[in-house]
Amino acid sequence: MDGNTLTFRDGHVIEVIGTTSDGDGTVLTLRHEIPTPGRMAGPHWHPNLTESFQVRRGRMRFRIDKNDLELGPDDEVTIRPRQVHEFWTLDHNVEVEHAIRPPAHHREMFETWHRLDAEGRTNRYGIPRNPLDLATLWELQDGYLAGIPAWLQRLVFPPLARLARRTGRVSIA
């Protein structure tokens, strides 16, 4: 189901370009169009994923392991496994290509997040209002929030995500 487009209430558009394989494995490629400046993701890290971002239009700021980097058109950055990262758009109408290797559950995460947003279950920053919804997205992002011990996240979030599925609160895309 490559090529689908997700439009969020704040105007953020995510287009699934596709999933491809090469000599280095499988990669999911997305295109984001973000209409307003602001934080896109708070500090987090992935144990096994590599993410690459190439800015096509506008400017973005990345903080990777406490180092700040500003990217403009045609600039790109690669974030390796275990690097704590967060990022912001600095302009209106930013467009960025986003590659995730291996894709793990990222596609399902964005699709589930889109459903939660469409149902009004996220706040104005796109964060789920209900802890069960948040736990489901945490499970699908294949990573950890920075600043909270990973063992504690593994203790708390998976049971909440299972409860969300068991009660029908959240179904995975």
Side-chain angles (χ1 to χ4, degrees), residues 4-166:
N4 69 328
T5 301
L6 309 170
T7 303
F8 291 76
R9 290 180 298 156
D10 67 358
H12 181 173
V13 175
I14 301 173
E15 179 186 358
V16 178
I17 303 297
T19 303
T20 56
S21 295
D22 60 20
D24 294 325
T26 305
V27 60
L28 170 66
T29 305
L30 308 169
R31 186 178 61 80
H32 297 262
E33 291 180 18
I34 305 113
T36 56
R39 179 185 289 273
M40 297 304 303
H44 65 285
W45 58 278
H46 307 281
N48 302 308
L49 299 180
T50 297
E51 291 184 282
S52 297
F53 295 85
Q54 183 173 24
V55 176
R56 300 291 189 189
R57 182 176 62 236
R59 294 175 306 123
M60 291 184 72
R61 178 175 153 226
F62 289 80
R63 180 171 292 146
I64 304 167
D65 287 340
K66 299 183 182 177
N67 296 308
D68 286 344
L69 179 66
E70 187 174 313
L71 276 65
D74 298 322
D75 290 339
E76 57 186 283
V77 65
T78 297
I79 301 162
R80 305 274 177 226
R82 305 189 92 63
Q83 287 186 303
V84 174
H85 57 287
E86 57 187 311
F87 42 94
W88 300 258
T89 56
L90 301 175
D91 294 326
H92 291 276
N93 301 313
V94 170
E95 182 180 335
V96 62
E97 191 169 298
H98 178 196
I100 303 118
R101 179 186 304 268
H105 300 287
H106 260 64
R107 182 176 184 148
E108 295 91 342
M109 180 203 55
F110 284 118
E111 290 171 344
T112 300
W113 194 357
H114 176 256
R115 273 200 324 279
L116 293 172
D117 182 73
E119 294 169 5
R121 292 163 55 183
T122 59
N123 66 21
R124 68 185 185 119
Y125 303 107
I127 299 169
R129 299 175 198 281
N130 186 292
L132 297 179
D133 296 343
L134 182 62
T136 300
L137 288 184
W138 174 89
E139 187 173 61
L140 293 172
Q141 70 126 1
D142 302 301
Y144 296 92
L145 304 171
I148 301 171
W151 67 265
L152 182 58
Q153 294 178 62
R154 286 190 301 270
L155 180 70
V156 172
F157 287 128
L160 289 175
R162 283 192 299 275
L163 179 60
R165 285 191 302 278
R166 195 169 33 250

